[in-house]
Amino acid sequence: MVVRVTVDGIRTDTTAKNTINPKLWDTAKGKAYERSLLTNELNMYLDSIRAEFIRIHRDLEQDGIEHITAEAVVSRFLGRDKPERYTLLEVFREHNEPFHSKNTKKLKYNKFEFHIFTL
């Protein structure tokens, strides 16, 4: 199955990593005929993909990207353009790293390290 993403009239294609017999496909609705459990599951899978593309588009808008392209949405969907995310411990370590080099703050930093390892 091929998924077509269109943003501002410009489109790009990617695969949904799924197949279906063309006789079971309703081109007008863009989904499988609801005749069996298998086609119902396929339609739910397609709905989840649609929702994911909508979420990605919204996330790109919230990230402040002014000109969102179909290629950017597909790249994020495929994991090529992942936003940087950090765990809370990574943020603490990055924030407190300068304290490690200062002797006056060494005691507080060691106490912080102790608390991280006890988590």
Side-chain angles (χ1 to χ4, degrees):
M1 292 175 48
V2 175
V3 177
R4 176 169 286 163
V5 178
T6 305
V7 176
D8 294 332
I10 300 172
R11 61 186 180 213
T12 188
D13 298 330
T14 187
T15 62
K17 299 179 183 174
N18 219 324
T19 60
I20 186 170
N21 184 339
K23 293 178 183 179
L24 299 175
W25 187 254
D26 185 356
T27 55
K29 292 183 179 179
K31 52 175 49 179
Y33 290 114
E34 297 180 6
R35 295 183 182 164
S36 69
L37 181 63
L38 181 65
T39 57
N40 287 340
E41 288 178 3
L42 178 64
N43 286 338
M44 289 188 330
Y45 173 69
L46 292 174
D47 289 341
S48 69
I49 288 176
R50 283 186 187 101
E52 180 70 13
F53 278 117
I54 291 168
R55 186 195 60 77
I56 288 170
H57 190 275
R58 187 187 69 237
D59 288 349
L60 290 171
E61 287 177 335
Q62 289 177 347
D63 289 347
I65 298 174
E66 292 183 23
H67 183 68
I68 299 171
T69 63
E71 185 63 37
V73 173
V74 170
S75 291
R76 178 79 57 99
F77 177 76
L78 296 175
R80 293 184 206 142
D81 176 30
K82 290 185 180 178
E84 288 188 33
R85 298 187 193 267
Y86 299 98
T87 65
L88 186 57
L89 290 176
E90 290 171 335
V91 172
F92 280 139
R93 281 195 180 107
E94 183 177 328
H95 173 267
N96 292 330
E97 190 63 34
F99 297 120
H100 184 63
S101 62
K102 296 180 181 179
N103 291 334
T104 58
K105 304 288 183 178
K106 186 84 169 164
L107 181 60
K108 289 182 182 179
Y109 184 80
N110 285 340
K111 187 175 183 179
F112 164 75
E113 282 292 322
F114 172 74
H115 288 294
I116 285 181
F117 291 116
T118 59
L119 292 177

